[in-house]
Amino acid sequence: MANVFSERVAHLNTEAGKTYQEMAVDCDLKPSVTWWNKARWNEIKIPPEPGLYPRMAKALEVPERRVAEMVAEQWCGVRPDDTVPERLRHLMAVARGVKNDEDLKLLVDLAQALSQKCGAERLVELLDPDPDEVIKKMEAEKGGRRVVKVRRAASA
């Protein structure tokens, strides 16, 4: 099992720039700044008390249920649903909080549109090769070499 709780703390600290002090303040200093630092480096052996989950949710910027899931996975080796990839679990936790059917339909429509956009971008990459690559392929074929696949590199 992954250290998902520690990874979330590391992500917030490293990529989002949130300090351990800010995490501790979000929790009214329970747990402490030192605890958050140790959690980031996977040095905490005893899981946090369930009573801390609401404040930890604020510190970790996830729903309270997601805190419980991360604690269960990291410290108890239990995943709530092994079929949901890690990169989608935060979204699933947020989606569970959507109660209005109209809002849920909007969320589904948005996810569908983003999925179709990704598929369309991949299709364009396959169908619209880089002209330099086409020339290389033609030259390779003239020289008797075989080119298996030509694809444009993903743009940054």
Side-chain angles (χ1 to χ4, degrees), residues 58-101:
K58 181 179 178 187
L60 295 172
E61 301 175 8
V62 297
E64 185 177 339
R65 178 184 170 116
R66 183 67 186 127
V67 173
E69 291 171 351
M70 290 188 297
V71 168
E73 184 171 346
Q74 180 158 330
W75 281 280
C76 304
V78 176
R79 282 189 178 172
D81 184 356
D82 285 341
T83 62
V84 177
E86 176 59 35
R87 64 187 181 83
L88 298 178
R89 289 197 187 151
H90 178 68
L91 176 61
M92 293 295 296
V94 171
R96 284 185 186 106
V98 177
K99 304 298 182 200
N100 180 308
D101 287 342

Side-chain angles (χ1 to χ4, degrees), residues 131-141 145 147:
D132 291 336
E133 291 296 322
V134 172
I135 292 169
K136 287 179 188 176
K137 179 181 177 186
M138 290 172 39
E139 289 173 352
E141 288 173 352
R145 297 183 310 264
V147 176

Side-chain angles (χ1 to χ4, degrees), residues 120-131:
E121 288 170 346
R122 287 189 190 132
L123 187 60
V124 166
E125 287 176 9
L126 291 172
L127 297 178
D128 186 23
D130 183 354

Side-chain angles (χ1 to χ4, degrees), residues 4-5 7 11 13 30 37 39-41 46-47 53 60 81 109 112 119 130 134 145:
V4 292
F5 190 96
E7 289 170 3
H11 167 77
N13 180 251
K30 292 181 183 179
N37 185 17
R40 188 256 191 259
W41 297 105
I46 299 171
Y53 294 177
L60 295 172
D81 184 356
D109 290 346
Q112 184 65 37
D130 183 354
V134 172
R145 297 183 310 264

Side-chain angles (χ1 to χ4, degrees), residues 14 17 21 23 25 29-30 33 38 48 68 72 74 84 92 96 104-105 112 117 120 135 141-144 146:
T14 306
Q21 178 70 36
M23 293 177 205
V25 168
L29 299 177
K30 292 181 183 179
V33 175
K38 287 183 177 185
Q74 180 158 330
V84 177
M92 293 295 296
R96 284 185 186 106
L104 184 59
K105 182 181 179 332
Q112 184 65 37
K117 174 185 171 260
I135 292 169
E141 288 173 352
K142 282 182 187 174
R146 183 172 164 228

Side-chain angles (χ1 to χ4, degrees), residues 8-19 22-23 60-61:
R8 180 66 185 166
V9 173
H11 167 77
L12 287 172
N13 180 251
T14 306
E15 295 180 30
K18 191 168 189 176
T19 66
E22 291 170 320
M23 293 177 205
L60 295 172
E61 301 175 8

Side-chain angles (χ1 to χ4, degrees), residues 2 6 17 22 35 51 80 85 102-103:
S6 293
E22 291 170 320
W35 188 92
E102 291 176 16
D103 292 343

